[in-house]
Amino acid sequence: MNETLVYAVISLSAIGVISAIILYFVAQKFKVIEDPRIDIVADLLPGANCGGCGLAGCRAFAEEIVRSEDLSKLNCPVSSRDAMKQIAAAMGLEAPERDPMIAVVRCSGSRVNAPQKVIYDGALSCSFAHALSAGESGCPNGCLGLGDCVVSCKFDAIYMDETTGLPVVSDENCVACGACITACPRSIIELRLKGKKDRRIFVSCVNTEKGGPAKKNCSVACIGCGKCVKECPYDAITLVNNLAWIDFSKCRLCRKCEPVCPTGSILETNFPARKEKPGEPEIVAEKTEA
Amino acid sequence: MSQLKYFTNGLFKENPSFVLVLGTCPTLAVTTAAINGIGMGAATTFVLVFSNLMIAALKDLIPNKVRIAAFIVIIATFVTIVDLVMKAFTPDLYATLGIFIPLIVVNCIILGRAEAFAQKSNVVPAILDGLGMGIGFTLAITLMGSIREILGNGSIFNIKLVAEDANTILIFILPPGAFITYGYLIAIMNRMKKRYNI
Amino acid sequence: MKTFKLGGIHPGENKLSAGAAIEILPLPTQVCIPVSQNLGAPSKVVVEKGAVIRTGQLIAKGEAFISSNVHSSVSGKVTKIDSVIDTSGYKRPAVYIDVEGDEWEESIDRSQDIISDIRLSREEIISRLNETGIVGLGGATFPSHVKLMIPEGKKAEYLLINGVECEPYLTSDHRLMLERGREMMIGVKILMKGLNVTKAYIGIERNKPDAIDHLLKISAEFPGIEIIPLKVKYPQGGEKQLIKAVLNREVPSGKLPIEVGCVVNNVGTALAVYEAVQKNKPLIDRVVTVTGKSLKKPSNLLVRIGTPVNQLIDFAGGLPEDTGKVINGGPMMGKALTSLEVPVVKGTSGILILPENESRRIPVINCIRCARCISVCPMGLEPVLLAQLSENQVYEAAEKEHILDCIECGSCQYTCPAGRPLLDYLRLGKNKVGVIIRNRGKK
Amino acid sequence: MEIIGIIILALLVNNVVLAQFLGICPFLGVSQKVSTSLGMGAAVIFVMALANLVTYLIQFFILVPLHIEFMQTITFIFIIAFLVQVVEIILKKAAPALYQALGIYLPLITTNCAVLGIAILAVQKNYSLVESVVYASAIAAGFTLALILMAGIREQMENTGYPAGMKGFPMSLIIAGLLSLAFMGFAGLV
Amino acid sequence: MNLLTVSGSPHVHDHQNVKSIMYGVVVAMIPAIFVSVYFFGLDSARVIFISVSACLFFEWAIQKYLLKGALTINDGSALVTGVLLAFNVPSNLPAWMIIVGALVSIGIAKMSFGGLGKNPFNPALIGRVFLLISFPVQMTSWPIPKALFSSSVTDAITGPTTLGILKEGLNAGKTVQELMANSGFPGYVNDMVGAQGGSLGEISAIALLIGAIYMLLRRIITWHIPVAYAGSAIIFSGILWLVDPTRYIDPAMHMLAGGMILGVFFMATDMSSSPMSPKGQIVYGVGAGLLTIMIRVWGAYPEGVSFAILIMNAFTPLINKAFKPRRFGEVIIKK
Amino acid sequence: MAKLESSLRNMILSLLLISLVMSAALGFVYNLTKDPIAAASKAKEVKAVKEVLPEFDNDPTTEIKVVEGLTFYPATQGGKPIGFAVKTYTEKGYSGRFDLMVGFLPDGKINNIVVLEQKETPGLGTKMKEPKFKDQFNTLDIGSLNNQELKVKKDGGTIDAISAATISSRAFCDGVQKAYNIYMKNFAMNIAGVNDSTMMKGGKQ
Ligand SMILES: Cc1cc2nc3c(=O)[nH]c(=O)nc-3n(C[C@H](O)[C@H](O)[C@H](O)COP(=O)(O)O)c2cc1C
Ligand SMILES: Cc1cc2nc3c(=O)[nH]c(=O)nc-3n(C[C@H](O)[C@H](O)[C@H](O)COP(=O)(O)O)c2cc1C
Ligand SMILES: Cc1cc2nc3c(=O)[nH]c(=O)nc-3n(C[C@H](O)[C@H](O)[C@H](O)COP(=O)(O)O)c2cc1C
Ligand SMILES: Cc1cc2nc3c(=O)[nH]c(=O)nc-3n(C[C@H](O)[C@H](O)[C@H](O)CO)c2cc1C
Ligand code: SF4
Ligand code: SF4
Ligand code: SF4
Ligand code: SF4
Ligand code: FES
């Protein structure tokens, strides 16, 4: 044993012990009580800070969960169900069951279906074009195609289809945060049940004009004729303001309504191909969801 | 082998320099020449492996509140050992790496790995992780060093590639060159990652 | 020469119709009168389909505090009560009337005599303006009687009459001052009485020397009214800029002119006030400039409210071949029309037809941070920053940078060498910030 | 005069971040917003000055007399970590407002290699106690300066937009490179 | 009838656009180009040509292959950068170094940030400083221009710049007066017309001033930055000069020698990298003026303009944040 | 095994234990490396001395004399002094201080120089290590220069400065000059080959 060794051991141990003691007492004296579960929950959240939950970021969401001890009113749309279950477990609570949803674009007014009426020459923003009421097609409700929804999506789940000029939602990426719905000035996007194997049926139109003017602007507009309403065996379809809407909680994907629509404004996704009935125009081909 | 992925993880997918962007100071500071990269990398790898090992082994003996303090003592010990050994046996290399050897202590990679990995796992994965991270770091800074040495000094591993008095782009071995090289390297890595979907 | 200091631009004036005397447009066969023509709450329709009505008869009643009456501009039969896409671009409820003859309400004095003594009291003036549906004709169509009701605790010191007409191309105010100056001056007197002030200034830019001379000449008859020639600079017609130019007073950010003791009215409004008070005539027609470089006959027309725009254009020589854009209003602040069927409303000061080659904006490229937009902004804002914030949807930050101060004059976008759609984004941002503030109020 | 020289040298000529490559991680990490970078800067100035004071005393009253200079690294880092933690705990309780503003950056400082690096360098440079503390404060101020400049530029880039491929670290590093290039102009001032 | 176009107001536009502004700057630089060709011969034309073509090429290539955005090389900004880069190097710089400089200017300083208007630093100056630090020998050996009115170009001989002579001499303990009395010293008149060693665009104060006046008249630049910059430099150097005229150069010489005029009117006014509000521009100008003199007097380099401008570029976003334009109605007027 | 909880006792014990073990390990390694470190630094010195002087057979590091802050290493061959190596420094470098080892022959002429510690800019100031620059000094007799002063050509001297690194070159001259001055003053060199022993004793410690 030589001197240096002894000094080294003593001094470091002394520093270690003294610091540990000071630290302990300081920690005792200056203790701030903060629920440790906040950190646990925050760790489990995705940290995207997207605001989809309606709160100011993930940390706020964690604090809210811990404060309210109630998960039923709080929901992070981004977290997987597993993550929510984990959070619930950490909190000792039940996670509310929730069927997965997805954003759906309810407009098929591509250039072909809804011909150009005026030239728009302004900021590339749907909100602005909407404020000018200047959809190039003339449909006062239709998609403006300037992509506010695309910009708003934090998950790269919407992109513009170059040929149709309409936004397309990706089945894989969309987490149903609803940002695009808020972004769209024309309320075209709707959250609907994701559906088994991503199968969905919906009216791809939001035009509330009467049949005549609607049809004048766009060949695939819903004209409010009500044929689908009559056809639906489950009363899932309602007609309000000349516009049909399929209630996804009632719809059983029987596919009866789609063929009767005279304008082809009902859209099906990811179903196996129907047997082709001769003579029926293939309108859906214009827009197929990815 | 599943254990192997702890090792390969650090090489590319979670490369500490290019992907995690930790330990940036030595990455920028010592990479004026390729050889420094290897020296610094070796030293860091040594510390990483042994501190990961120690921490994984002792993790249950350390109360949470003094966790960081304990980690730091452990890391600092190995760093000092490296410091002393290099001083004794590779004095020339030691002279060039200078202050950055003691600073391995605060190299974010090491404490980061201690916190994020070693603390939660067993000894073998911890060693493999340390080794992978260390080698990943070594590769990265050697690459940086090579680029900067070639552009700035016209040589690699001290072998002159251009005529003795040819003009080289000096700035690459000066601080701005370090930042710029590093910036574009990360950009290229990101692009490659995207392209090849790694 | 008086003018405002901060910012401003001088676009090509192009006052093509400055020499064209006001002509009366023949009655159309059908009019469509939107019933919500003023800033504020919409009015309630009081006639029914099939009703036969007279010119000047009330067809919609303003019920809220800030709203105003609408009168029929023609006589004939109400054919339907539906909606119309008006100049604002939105669908609005409207009354369609098929014109039959031109039978006026008897209470209206249709003689040409100029009546100069003001018999009504202040209160009577205010209720008369309310009854006759007078709104500001300078653009904002704010109900005029509301302007005369000074809020508690405030006091008006001066009336400012806006004869600036700083928008290029437009000449309706110019012609009006020149041809109906005397009546207009009486209108000013009435407004002064309504406001209980003794001093009024009429600000006119120097590019209307004949109007200035004319008014100077007759102003001797109207003590208390002073004519102020102003340097030509856009947007001097903005009320805050006008007050600054004439009185060197600055309306504080977010406040109204009354804060500095001023009320601003347009010359056309003054004339309408004269007609309403002295002749009991509701606001059923107005002077509209129809102009454009390729137009055969740029004109100033006295038009009944509700006349479709294409009739005005036909009268002025028909729609030119090379038309690319038709604007309701001037080139700086007007709105591009999507259809030529829209009716003339109380706020329509001009119809401008731009040829194809002038109707497109210059290509948009990156902002070069040249700060021209900043230097021309009459409100001292940073349009480039505000537009970026709005484009990036950080509206809270935009609010902190005072986006709501923007008067939408368009100077910034006019001057931007990179062709950035600054005002588009500013409008969007203002809109969103407005919503945010309203929601905040709710909470 | 000597002191002024030390300050200029530490602040501008040999800026920690831009010329000496210390504290790069927080420099890249906490420079997104000017407001946060100010908070971080203030915290770093405080901790660095305090740390240098303590490490100076340890060096010359414990390590040197006992001839255990080789323990420098381990004792210094230990002391720094300890100090940071104590400051954090105390601030949280005693001045919650200040904690909200600065406290969140404190844990980041432990792994800021500038703190340890400067403590070691100050000892190497044979500064007196006062000089050492001044030196550390000036270095920390230099750190703050670089941080704020960086944050200003990054904030602007956020507004104007930039190529997607440069997002994040590449952008920050290029800006740092150009800043460092500009700072070379201070060469030789002292 | 054509389809009607709709857009928000305004519907008319000023006649100036980015292209006309940029070409305006090029026009303003023509006198200086002539002077440099006169004094340095075809060498300087060679440098300008290489620099401009390299800048245009890199701008094009990066936009086409890396950014994959719209091609905007004909907006003139790369042309301006090219000429200004050439203006900032000696006329005998090897071609490959000029190309490296152009790559740095356009590739690193401009396109990395997204191109026109997004660069926080002045691209030409980044290029120049990069070269200066990388190739100190080549970047600091300036061909001596031929004497005024003589016909031959003495391109082989290199020598120091006016500021170089002064700095070197002062460091060696000589006084300003001794140095200025020396026969090799260019003097005020030569500095004015351009018969001095230096980078090829900076030598003639008169030619640059003509261009500056053109830019001011066409409103390509405003007076704020130049006046603040030159003013603060004159005042600061004037104070030093009054304190000790033997050790400090007089303000007139500071203005005429080196890149002061070029920097003040052409480089500090670069829009992308300078503050936007008039107040901010004045702060920026004053800062640059002080830094220039500080670096010239106490720094390692004889010339401080480039560094001073780059350093102030770094402060620009902060200045923009701190010095907002005066808003209308900001001061609540109590009547 | 569960993690120990954070009680005072556990905290202290755990930290104490770790500190103890670690410092002991450190002390151990320190003891192991102490001698090699000393040897390494001595080897470096000896190597430098060897490089700057002709062959010698004594161990100059044991006979060092420190005068005015410079370290002098006397070298002898068979007892006969063959020169001094001087460890000198300058503060005037581009990045501050750097150290040189200068070998003087008994007659005051320079035999050779090596650069020890330096922080000059790579590629610029570091060129002083290259023979092209430093060999200019070999066999140079400062005493025969103008004012016995070593200067770069720019300052009216004889040394070709490294291009773009005049500052480093000047500093280099400064370091050598300092060594020369102190050497001449204190070791009263007999230039014409006077008695060796006086020379050896000359140093005033
Ligand atoms: C940018 C701008 C320009 C304006 N230009 C004019 C104008 O030239 N003439 C005018 O009478 N009103 C103009 N106005 C409207 C005035 O600000 C103000 O609203 C009007 O003069 C009030 O009078 P009124 O209520 O009688 O319409 C302008 C407004 C803005 C924002
Ligand atoms: C070498 C050179 C090339 C030019 N090329 C163009 C060009 O391609 N397009 C252009 O608009 N102006 C170009 N100009 C500038 C114009 O001649 C004119 O000066 C500039 O457009 C300013 O005009 P304005 O004030 O009418 O806008 C060039 C000028 C020079 C010196
Ligand atoms: C980054 C940088 C590093 C430099 N390093 C050195 C150096 O190590 N030694 C030196 O003498 N000059 C160095 N200089 C150059 C000096 O600032 C100065 O310009 C030069 O010494 C003047 O000498 P000259 O007359 O030989 O050109 C450096 C310059 C820069 C920009
Ligand atoms: C007045 C003025 C000065 C300019 N100065 C420079 C300059 O110094 N350096 C440069 O690279 N570009 C300059 N430019 C061109 C342009 O602004 C530059 O390429 C942008 O910085 C690129 O985004 C200037 C342009 C103008 C209008
Ligand atoms: S598509 Fe819409 S709902 Fe889906 S993730 Fe994107 S923004 Fe959210
Ligand atoms: S769906 Fe709505 S937000 Fe998306 S492009 Fe169409 S109009 Fe715009
Ligand atoms: S539109 Fe608004 S921001 Fe633009 S100049 Fe006018 S007031 Fe300023
Ligand atoms: S005028 Fe246009 S280019 Fe200039 S700063 Fe404003 S937005 Fe940018
Ligand atoms: S390595 Fe220096 S701060 Fe991370």
Side-chain angles (χ1 to χ4, degrees), chain A residues 105 126 142-150 160 167 183-186 188-189:
Chain A
V105 180
C126 302
C143 174
L144 297 154
L146 297 170
D148 279 11
C149 48
V150 175
M160 272 291 162
C184 177
R186 296 196 149 172
I188 287 168
I189 307 181

Side-chain angles (χ1 to χ4, degrees), chain E residues 18-284:
Chain E
V18 169
K19 214 164 159 175
S20 70
I21 292 175
M22 292 300 167
Y23 286 111
V25 180
V26 175
V27 170
M29 291 187 292
I30 288 174
I33 295 178
F34 278 130
V35 170
S36 86
V37 174
Y38 175 81
F39 282 112
F40 296 120
L42 284 182
D43 247 1
S44 84
R46 173 195 71 105
V47 173
I48 295 173
F49 175 77
I50 295 174
S51 165
V52 166
S53 359
C55 281
L56 290 173
F57 170 77
F58 288 126
E59 173 126 339
W60 171 83
I62 292 172
Q63 273 182 344
K64 185 158 171 84
Y65 296 107
L66 288 177
L67 298 182
K68 307 210 166 82
L71 292 177
T72 58
I73 52 161
N74 54 4
D75 65 17
S77 67
L79 176 62
V80 175
T81 301
V83 179
L84 281 172
L85 177 65
F87 271 21
N88 274 293
V89 299
S91 61
N92 59 348
L93 199 68
W96 73 273
M97 291 184 186
I98 305 172
I99 293 172
V100 167
L103 178 59
V104 170
S105 293
I106 298 293
I108 297 181
K110 185 173 173 193
M111 295 324 245
S112 297
F113 296 93
L116 182 61
K118 300 190 174 178
N119 47 308
F121 294 94
N122 186 325
L125 283 180
I126 291 285
R128 137 134 227 245
V129 168
F130 189 98
L131 291 179
L132 175 67
I133 292 173
S134 291
F135 313 114
V137 181
Q138 288 77 3
M139 284 294 288
T140 51
S141 4
W142 287 276
I144 302 279
K146 63 177 188 174
L148 196 55
F149 306 124
S150 85
S151 55
S152 74
V153 175
T154 56
D155 52 16
I157 307 167
T158 62
T161 60
T162 309
L163 288 171
I165 298 171
L166 289 166
K167 179 127 207 161
E168 196 64 50
L170 289 172
N171 279 346
K174 302 212 179 77
T175 66
V176 174
Q177 284 67 27
E178 281 169 29
L179 292 164
M180 289 183 39
N182 203 316
S183 64
F185 192 78
Y188 295 96
V189 175
N190 282 334
D191 283 350
M192 222 36 200
V193 295
Q196 58 171 332
S199 299
L200 59 81
E202 70 185 19
I203 50 171
S204 167
I206 287 185
L208 291 168
L209 282 172
I210 293 171
I213 290 168
Y214 171 79
M215 288 201 295
L216 280 166
L217 290 180
R218 269 204 53 196
R219 304 201 183 186
I220 292 172
I221 58 174
T222 59
W223 59 268
H224 304 87
I225 293 176
V227 168
Y229 193 157
S232 67
I234 289 174
I235 293 173
F236 186 34
S237 61
I239 292 172
L240 293 177
W241 179 62
L242 290 176
V243 169
D244 186 353
T246 60
R247 277 199 305 136
Y248 298 109
I249 309 164
D250 64 277
M253 187 47 85
H254 265 301
M255 293 313 293
L256 295 177
M260 190 65 114
I261 305 273
L262 181 66
V264 164
F265 288 102
F266 288 84
M267 323 279 296
T269 51
D270 172 34
M271 296 146 175
S272 322
S273 52
S274 58
M276 305 183 73
S277 75
K279 259 184 279 176
Q281 293 182 341
I282 288 175
V283 172
Y284 169 89

Side-chain angles (χ1 to χ4, degrees), chain F residues 79-181:
Chain F
K80 197 166 122 38
I82 51 127
F84 270 88
V86 187
K87 190 167 157 195
T88 177
Y89 69 92
T90 172
E91 303 275 5
K92 296 184 180 162
Y94 182 76
S95 312
R97 178 183 164 122
F98 60 79
D99 293 350
L100 303 172
M101 183 76 84
V102 186
F104 288 106
L105 297 177
D107 59 2
K109 277 197 183 137
I110 293 168
N111 184 52
N112 196 4
I113 303 177
V114 291
V115 181
L116 302 173
E117 305 251 316
Q118 56 87 22
K119 299 188 290 260
E120 300 297 280
T121 315
L124 284 179
T126 52
K127 287 216 172 108
M128 68 189 170
K129 287 190 195 167
E130 291 172 9
K132 187 179 164 208
F133 175 72
K134 75 180 178 83
D135 287 358
Q136 293 180 71
F137 295 84
N138 294 0
T139 73
L140 188 76
D141 181 3
I142 298 175
S144 69
L145 296 175
N146 229 355
N147 296 336
Q148 309 203 345
E149 252 188 273
L150 203 49
K151 276 186 185 165
V152 293
K153 282 199 177 136
K154 227 180 213 168
D155 305 341
T158 49
I159 300 297
D160 274 321
I162 308 160
S163 22
T166 313
I167 297 174
S168 307
S169 315
R170 270 199 201 110
F172 196 98
C173 294
D174 173 66
V176 177
Q177 182 80 42
K178 187 179 295 171
Y180 176 78
N181 291 349

Side-chain angles (χ1 to χ4, degrees), chain B residues 53-123:
Chain B
L53 182 153
M54 276 295 263
I55 288 165
L58 296 181
K59 61 177 184 288
D60 292 330
L61 281 178
I62 303 170
N64 235 344
K65 280 233 174 71
V66 290
R67 182 178 83 228
I68 303 280
F71 292 172
I72 285 178
V73 172
I74 294 172
I75 296 168
T77 305
F78 287 109
V79 171
T80 311
I81 291 175
V82 172
D83 189 70
L84 293 173
V85 170
M86 282 182 82
K87 221 187 248 167
F89 303 110
T90 55
D92 292 340
L93 190 57
Y94 183 81
T96 35
L97 298 181
I99 189 173
F100 287 92
I101 293 290
L103 290 190
I104 295 177
V105 177
V106 274
N107 186 323
C108 319
I109 303 174
I110 297 179
L111 202 62
R113 281 338 270 178
E115 271 281 281
F117 195 89
Q119 199 213 147
K120 296 175 186 159
S121 56
N122 290 326
V123 174

Side-chain angles (χ1 to χ4, degrees), chain C residues 373 376-379 381 383 405-412 423 426:
Chain C
C373 52
V376 299
C377 177
M379 298 306 290
L381 304 173
D405 278 4
C406 167
I407 58 170
E408 307 191 13
C409 68
S411 303
C412 46
L423 183 49
L426 277 157

